Amino acid sequence: MVPRRWSLVGREPERKAFTTVLDETGYNGFLLFGEPGVGKTRLAEECLAVAVGRGHAVGRAVATGAAAQIPLGAIAHLLPDGVDLSDPVAGFATAVRLMSRAYSATARLVLLIDDLHLLDTASALLLRQLMETGAVFLVGTVRSDASSEESVVTLGRGDAVHHADLAPLTWREVHELLQCALAGHVHRETVDRLHAASGGNPLYLSELVRGALAEGRLTNDGEIWQLATTELLPVTRRLTDLIRHRLATVAPCGRRLLDVLALCGPVSVADLESDPGTDALDELERAELVTVVREGRRTYARLAHPLYAEVLPAGITEGWRREILREQANRLERTGSRRREDAMRLASYRLAGTGTADPALLLQAARLAAYGDDHARALVFLRAIPEQALTFPALLLLGRTLSEAGRPQEAEEVLCRADRCAATESRALAVALARTHNLIWCRGASREEAVAANDAARDRVTSAAGLWALRVNEANMLSSLGHHTESLGLLDGMPDGEPPPKDIAGVAAWTAAAATRSSALSFLGRSEEAVRWAERAVALCARAGAEGRSRSPHEAAARSALVLALTESGRLEEARVTAERAYTDPGAAPTGWQRTLLVFPLARNALMAGRPASARRWYAEIARDTRPQAVVIRPLALAGLAAAAALQGDVRAAEAALAEHAGLAAPVHVPEERLGEAWTHVARGDQEAARTVLRAAATEARERGQFSSETVLLTDLARLGVAAEAAGRLAELARTGGPFTAARARLATALATGDQGGLTAVAGDLDRMGASLLAAEAASAAAELWRRSGNPRQASAAAARAAASAALCEGARTPMLQAADAAVPLTAREREVAILASEGMPSKDIAAKLTISVRTVDNHLQRVYAKLGVSNRRELAGWLRRTTA
């Protein structure tokens, strides 16, 4: 069940504006304008709560069409006793006099009038007089298309009334609102769909969520919420009634235009104007039911809100629907279908209107849909092609699309069929690349099966470029399966210089090789080299895109490799920002396996930074996306999910992830997967079992040459009380590893030797890298050692640093953080003095402000310095900034 009343999200600027206006003299009103359902009333109620908190009286009235038929009908219940409305002039004067006595400028009546545009004239005139006397501060909600109504003009004129326009919620605000309402993480695709369908309208959004929950289309697997992948969203009766009421006054000729737009999406204005004429379109645009936009040399009309297309088709008869679709298809063909998207539109119209379409048109439409990552739509077009018309291009695209749609076995069958039809080298190569991708990433095939499929193509691929592409493909497969040294060996001889951006095939091959090389180098502990290769691959993709070339199919792999390499080199915050920017890019956000490829290093980054809640969210998304398939990344995601849940102390969730992990028939497992098992033991309180797991996994990682994983496993072993056991090997790894490896080696050495100064120094290094949990643990260990050695000031400083770093760790629980929890807190008075002192206020002024003596101020400051381990006001200000950021 979702709460009846949702959180107020995305309206903080308007809320702050109201607070400012209410407190500032000279203002007597605050009007909120916006579309129905955008949250005007919800925000207005929040404004009333603010007014109550500031000591004002509040009242509320709702204007309606019915109440407007009676003078003062909407606000009669607010008038004081003794007001005789039989004489309007005397009654008004009495009301103003009595209410002016009751309320003053410092404690006014803050009055909310909902739907102010429906208020009757008498009420508006009385309220205006009350506002001008200062007795009433008006808060009103107004529908955006009713700003010219007489009551709005009367009450909203002048500089004393502040106007605020409420815009629809952004994607980020919808994401935040959904997570609050559903009390859990929400899948990116689900946020995308609900944001697009609701148009950012909070009321529409809440109704869509309730409808999806009621029909079982929005579900939670225990970790993350996701919508079922169906074309249409369930629309509740309330939402349907709201939209139908909005459309009820449309004339028949306008309704015809709305039906066309509901079935056909954006339509050229030139086509709409031919029948029934421009007047209907103008009326719909003025009523804000239709929006007219210009794209290039064409001008289009589209429905003003996406949900109109969900409701309108229900009232369209089958005969009328077919007529509209056939008519639009004929118009597109007459104009030549010159724009790229016209092929998809024409194919859709023909299929829906007649049930058939030209195979060449269907293939063209499927290519466009697949290029836009709309695999469900691409499958519709491809499945409509008759069996006898399934040429090699159609079979290849069908196989790729089935793979992307999560149907790997069907994809393998279709791709094998395409392989038998591949009469040229380029076609044989294309099939080999598609098959091996499907086998590794979607079907979870073994190394032998995938390599065999790649090798089989060498019988028909003889050119140097083709053979190099197969070699890069094999290197990518081996790296994906954990054979990083072999992968790098295959890439020996890779051309150092990038191909020109216009060479599309060359760019794809070079980007794939560079991304694979970077990933292998990262896992081998050579992070600085990895960063350089990944940055070059990403830059090449950017140059190709800037010159108008198509996006490289390996762009997501390049960005994934960059995030991984930046993390391994100790640039954790830069890695996080890079990944999240690519993940939320509205114009080029990855989908399907490409999104999974990017989310995995983002999840691993969060885990290594010590942000278990974020890591858990990302790992859960991967686990949900890959659940129908046995892809190679799935075991790592489940293990990471278990580790993140265990770090939060959620043993049940960790055990559930491990149980699912144990049931996987994965072709390969890597040592780093044992982290989930180890930290689950820690969460249960069995550190010795965790150490046993980590020792075995670290040994296996060393034998397999997976030095990055070995570093992670040994670092965790050091964190669990046996640093001396791990320090020597970590020091060896640091000789070839990057700054992050070196910092973790220093951490283990300082723990092993009990070096307080070394721990303090490495805590600062780790904190600057963004490894907040390791930094907190290092500072915590330093604090304990300083206490034992009789240095309370250094101990307090280290404990304060540990607390500041731990505050960034999303509630992580580890054995080494226990000392951080013991940091001595400041009293309320000490914190008050500390804040004033950090702002540069002299002790004398602090004493005067707090009505205490200067000596008392100085005594408080000395205790603060001792507790926090600082020596002066400048250091105190720095501590306060860190702990309140």
Side-chain angles (χ1 to χ4, degrees):
M1 296 291 293
V2 299
R4 183 185 65 82
R5 187 179 181 84
W6 285 29
S7 301
L8 187 66
V9 170
R11 303 306 185 199
E12 190 57 26
E14 291 82 6
R15 187 178 179 278
K16 287 182 178 178
F18 171 77
T19 303
T20 300
V21 168
L22 181 65
D23 291 345
E24 191 170 322
T25 57
Y27 281 98
N28 54 33
F30 188 84
L31 299 188
L32 294 167
F33 294 81
E35 290 293 317
V38 80
K40 301 185 297 297
T41 301
R42 177 72 179 84
L43 177 57
E45 290 170 346
E46 184 68 19
C47 291
L48 286 191
V50 169
V52 169
R54 279 170 158 65
H56 297 283
V58 298
R60 180 171 181 175
V62 179
T64 65
Q69 304 303 312
I70 305 170
L72 302 176
I75 63 170
H77 64 289
L78 299 170
L79 299 179
D81 295 336
V83 176
D84 183 5
L85 297 179
S86 60
D87 182 351
V89 175
F92 273 33
T94 303
V96 170
R97 184 179 68 256
L98 292 175
M99 295 182 76
S100 298
R101 287 178 186 170
Y103 305 106
S104 66
T106 56
R108 291 179 284 183
L109 172 65
V110 178
L111 180 60
L112 165 60
I113 305 293
D114 218 355
D115 288 335
L116 185 77
H117 49 280
L118 298 177
L119 201 63
D120 63 281
T121 302
S123 295
L125 290 173
L126 176 57
L127 286 174
R128 185 71 205 190
Q129 293 183 48
L130 291 169
M131 290 164 62
E132 290 174 350
T133 64
V136 165
F137 184 94
L138 177 68
V139 178
T141 67
V142 183
R143 207 173 61 216
S144 55
D145 61 351
S147 58
S148 60
E149 293 294 330
E150 182 180 355
S151 57
V152 180
V153 173
T154 299
L155 294 169
R157 69 174 183 267
D159 295 336
V161 180
H162 181 85
H163 291 196
D165 293 300
L166 292 192
L169 299 178
T170 64
W171 185 94
R172 290 185 181 277
E173 290 164 350
V174 166
H175 184 208
E176 181 184 350
L177 188 57
L178 288 172
Q179 292 203 134
C180 291
L182 296 169
H185 294 306
V186 185
H187 196 287
R188 162 66 194 259
E189 280 190 346
T190 296
V191 180
D192 286 345
R193 292 181 64 195
L194 289 173
H195 177 245
S198 68
N201 184 296
L203 174 60
Y204 293 173
L205 179 67
S206 66
E207 289 302 311
L208 287 170
V209 168
R210 288 186 169 88
L213 286 170
E215 293 192 12
R217 303 258 294 278
L218 179 59
T219 58
N220 189 302
D221 64 355
E223 291 290 338
I224 196 163
W225 290 94
Q226 187 171 27
L227 274 170
T229 53
T230 52
E231 186 175 349
L232 296 177
L233 289 168
V235 181
T236 63
R237 177 179 295 179
R238 182 189 181 196
L239 187 52
T240 301
D241 290 344
L242 285 170
I243 294 173
R244 285 178 175 167
H245 177 74
R246 182 93 169 87
L247 304 174
T249 59
V250 177
C253 57
R255 181 55 186 257
R256 175 187 174 89
L257 289 181
L258 291 176
D259 289 346
V260 171
L261 295 174
L263 292 177
C264 302
V267 175
S268 168
V269 168
D271 291 340
L272 291 176
E273 288 177 342
S274 62
D275 182 25
T278 59
D279 291 345
L281 182 59
D282 290 342
E283 287 293 330
L284 293 173
E285 191 176 8
R286 279 194 294 271
E288 299 184 354
L289 297 174
V290 167
T291 302
V292 175
V293 295
R294 187 170 183 82
E295 296 179 6
R297 290 181 294 177
R298 289 190 182 184
T299 303
Y300 287 97
R302 64 183 179 208
L303 295 175
H305 198 283
L307 281 178
Y308 296 168
E310 304 278 349
V311 173
L312 282 166
I316 301 175
T317 64
E318 181 62 21
W320 175 223
R321 184 182 69 87
R322 289 180 176 273
E323 182 181 338
I324 289 174
L325 293 170
R326 284 195 298 267
E327 182 178 304
Q328 290 303 311
N330 291 337
R331 282 178 172 169
L332 266 181
E333 287 181 335
R334 285 198 301 269
T335 58
S337 303
R338 292 183 294 271
R339 297 173 71 90
R340 285 176 58 87
E341 67 272 15
D342 284 349
M344 283 197 295
R345 295 160 65 88
L346 183 56
S348 297
Y349 298 162
R350 287 296 183 206
L351 284 180
T354 65
T356 61
D358 179 67
L361 173 64
L362 291 169
L363 179 57
Q364 184 184 2
R367 282 175 174 153
L368 292 170
Y371 180 77
D373 295 314
D374 189 349
H375 304 298
R377 196 174 183 190
L379 278 179
V380 170
F381 294 136
L382 290 166
R383 293 299 196 193
I385 299 176
E387 180 68 22
Q388 65 274 15
L390 282 173
T391 59
F392 172 83
L395 287 170
L396 179 62
L397 182 58
L398 178 57
R400 287 172 171 167
T401 306
L402 287 167
S403 179
E404 294 287 354
R407 294 151 73 172
Q409 188 53 47
E410 291 179 69
E412 172 66 3
E413 293 168 2
V414 171
L415 289 171
C416 286
R417 182 178 167 188
D419 192 41
R420 293 191 291 270
C421 301
T424 65
E425 173 182 306
S426 61
R427 290 187 170 187
L429 178 61
V431 172
L433 297 179
R435 277 194 69 201
T436 52
H437 169 82
N438 180 61
L439 289 170
I440 289 291
W441 285 100
C442 301
R443 219 182 78 180
S446 66
R447 166 181 174 168
E448 292 73 22
E449 185 179 359
V451 171
N454 196 65
D455 286 343
R458 289 192 169 95
D459 295 336
R460 289 177 288 173
V461 176
T462 57
S463 69
L467 290 171
W468 173 246
L470 289 174
R471 190 169 181 173
V472 172
N473 191 45
E474 184 177 355
N476 180 268
M477 290 189 292
L478 292 179
S479 182
S480 301
L481 296 172
H483 305 288
H484 307 300
T485 302
E486 290 181 65
S487 175
L488 274 184
L490 286 172
L491 294 175
D492 286 344
M494 175 183 173
D496 185 66
E498 299 97 333
K502 63 182 180 181
D503 180 2
I504 297 175
V507 167
W510 197 94
T511 303
T516 300
R517 191 182 197 100
S518 175
S519 296
L521 288 167
S522 288
F523 284 113
L524 289 171
R526 295 157 60 183
S527 58
E528 298 302 293
E529 293 178 72
V531 170
R532 289 193 292 272
W533 280 104
E535 286 178 338
R536 290 176 64 185
V538 170
L540 178 58
C541 290
R543 288 199 301 274
E547 294 192 12
R549 310 293 171 183
S550 59
R551 286 166 53 194
S552 169
H554 303 289
E555 182 177 349
R559 295 188 182 279
S560 174
L562 179 58
V563 174
L564 177 64
L566 289 171
T567 299
E568 288 297 325
S569 68
R571 295 153 66 178
L572 278 79
E573 181 61 16
E574 184 181 350
R576 182 191 66 79
V577 171
T578 298
E580 290 188 353
R581 185 179 296 135
Y583 182 80
T584 57
D585 182 352
T591 61
W593 73 271
Q594 292 185 333
R595 183 181 61 243
T596 300
L597 202 60
L598 182 63
V599 170
F600 173 72
L602 180 56
R604 190 171 182 269
N605 170 276
L607 191 63
M608 296 178 76
R611 295 182 287 109
S614 297
R616 186 171 176 178
R617 175 261 175 102
W618 297 121
Y619 280 127
E621 186 166 308
I622 298 171
R624 180 94 181 212
D625 285 346
T626 59
R627 186 155 285 144
Q629 308 162 21
V631 297
V632 69
I633 209 169
R634 182 165 175 72
L636 276 166
L638 288 169
L641 178 59
L647 281 169
Q648 292 182 298
D650 192 342
V651 176
R652 179 180 293 182
E655 290 175 340
L658 288 179
E660 190 172 352
H661 179 275
L664 292 178
V668 65
H669 288 282
V670 296
E672 198 172 315
E673 292 174 39
R674 304 292 299 279
L675 285 173
E677 181 184 353
W679 281 101
T680 302
H681 282 308
V682 174
R684 294 189 189 115
D686 191 351
Q687 290 189 44
E688 183 52 43
R691 288 191 286 266
T692 299
V693 170
L694 290 171
R695 286 188 190 100
T699 300
E700 183 185 356
R702 182 174 185 175
E703 292 170 349
R704 296 173 63 171
Q706 297 176 1
F707 302 127
S708 170
S709 294
E710 185 186 3
T711 300
V712 174
L713 295 160
L714 288 173
T715 301
D716 285 1
L717 195 60
R719 296 164 67 193
L720 296 179
V722 287
E725 189 178 321
R729 176 58 181 163
L730 280 171
E732 292 178 21
L733 292 168
R735 294 191 191 107
T736 56
F740 194 21
T741 302
R744 287 175 286 184
R746 293 198 304 275
L747 171 63
T749 299
L751 287 171
T753 59
D755 180 1
Q756 306 101 310
L759 285 167
T760 300
V762 80
D765 293 340
L766 290 166
D767 191 47
R768 284 186 289 274
M769 289 179 178
S772 301
L773 184 53
L774 292 179
E777 291 177 333
S780 178
E784 183 61 25
L785 290 170
W786 284 121
R787 286 192 193 98
R788 291 178 188 174
S789 63
N791 290 279
R793 183 176 291 277
Q794 291 92 332
S796 294
R801 178 164 217 157
S805 295
L808 304 175
C809 296
E810 301 177 341
R813 305 178 188 179
T814 70
M816 287 182 66
L817 286 184
Q818 292 176 354
D821 294 336
V824 180
L826 300 180
T827 66
R829 177 62 86 184
E830 287 169 349
R831 176 170 283 276
E832 192 173 16
V833 170
I835 291 173
L836 294 173
S838 70
E839 293 173 349
M841 186 177 289
S843 295
K844 181 180 64 174
D845 294 343
I846 296 175
K849 183 177 180 65
L850 300 180
T851 321
I852 56 179
S853 70
V854 175
R855 174 174 290 185
T856 300
V857 170
D858 291 338
N859 288 338
H860 279 310
L861 278 176
Q862 290 306 312
R863 285 195 294 271
V864 168
Y865 292 165
K867 286 183 177 183
L868 304 183
V870 299
S871 303
N872 52 52
R873 297 185 183 215
R874 181 178 57 80
E875 293 179 5
L876 174 61
W879 185 91
L880 288 171
R881 281 195 300 271
R882 290 195 302 272
T883 56
T884 59

